Amino acid sequence: MSKTGESSGRGSISRVRRGVGIAALVVMAALLVVGLVGFFADPLQLPPEVLGVLDQRASVVSMFIGAAGLVIAAAALRLQLRTDRGQATVEPPVQLPPAAGTQTQLNMPATGGTVNAVQGGTLNIHNPAAPAGGGQEPSP
């Protein structure tokens, strides 16, 4: 049974988060289009004095948005550091030996040889640099 099945309740939460994320992207794209149209087309025909005041207000708003972003980034970094410290104490998973009958090949370029071994079986050594019948025999 899957851990993220319907009975665990996690599937519906991830769907809600995905929906909220998609909705946020759509809203941001729409705001970008409205801002670009307002910037290039100037549909309201505002006088320069009003545009100057709006520019100053936009600068103040963007300053507060930047400060909020800095606080969020610092909180996220702190949370990440806590998570990393907590995971440092976790033991590594146990490595199981390969199943019986698994073949392993070792290439030894320095000696020009190759070792083929079957776990629980035979060991074959092939050295092309050695003369034929050079005293090396496979183990029983």
Side-chain angles (χ1 to χ4, degrees):
M1 181 172 192
S2 172
K3 291 182 179 181
T4 57
E6 293 298 323
S7 62
S8 69
R10 296 176 108 187
S12 62
I13 292 173
S14 65
R15 283 190 212 131
V16 170
R17 285 184 181 172
R18 188 178 308 140
V20 168
I22 291 172
L25 286 174
V26 168
V27 168
M28 288 191 311
L31 288 174
L32 176 66
V33 169
V34 168
L36 287 174
V37 167
F39 180 75
F40 288 113
D42 191 21
L44 301 176
Q45 302 295 323
L46 296 174
E49 297 84 22
V50 174
L51 286 176
V53 170
L54 291 176
D55 181 46
Q56 289 174 350
R57 289 181 183 174
S59 296
V60 171
V61 168
S62 66
M63 180 186 65
F64 283 113
I65 290 173
L70 182 63
V71 169
I72 291 170
L77 180 62
R78 231 178 127 179
L79 181 63
Q80 180 67 36
L81 290 174
R82 281 186 189 171
T83 303
D84 288 346
R85 263 189 248 131
Q87 289 178 353
T89 60
V90 176
E91 294 180 17
V94 176
Q95 296 288 334
L96 298 176
T102 304
Q103 184 170 352
T104 305
Q105 178 174 344
L106 301 173
N107 294 322
M108 298 182 293
T111 61
T114 303
V115 176
N116 290 319
V118 177
Q119 185 177 352
T122 61
L123 174 67
N124 299 321
I125 301 173
H126 174 67
N127 189 351
Q136 297 176 348
E137 295 183 20
S139 65

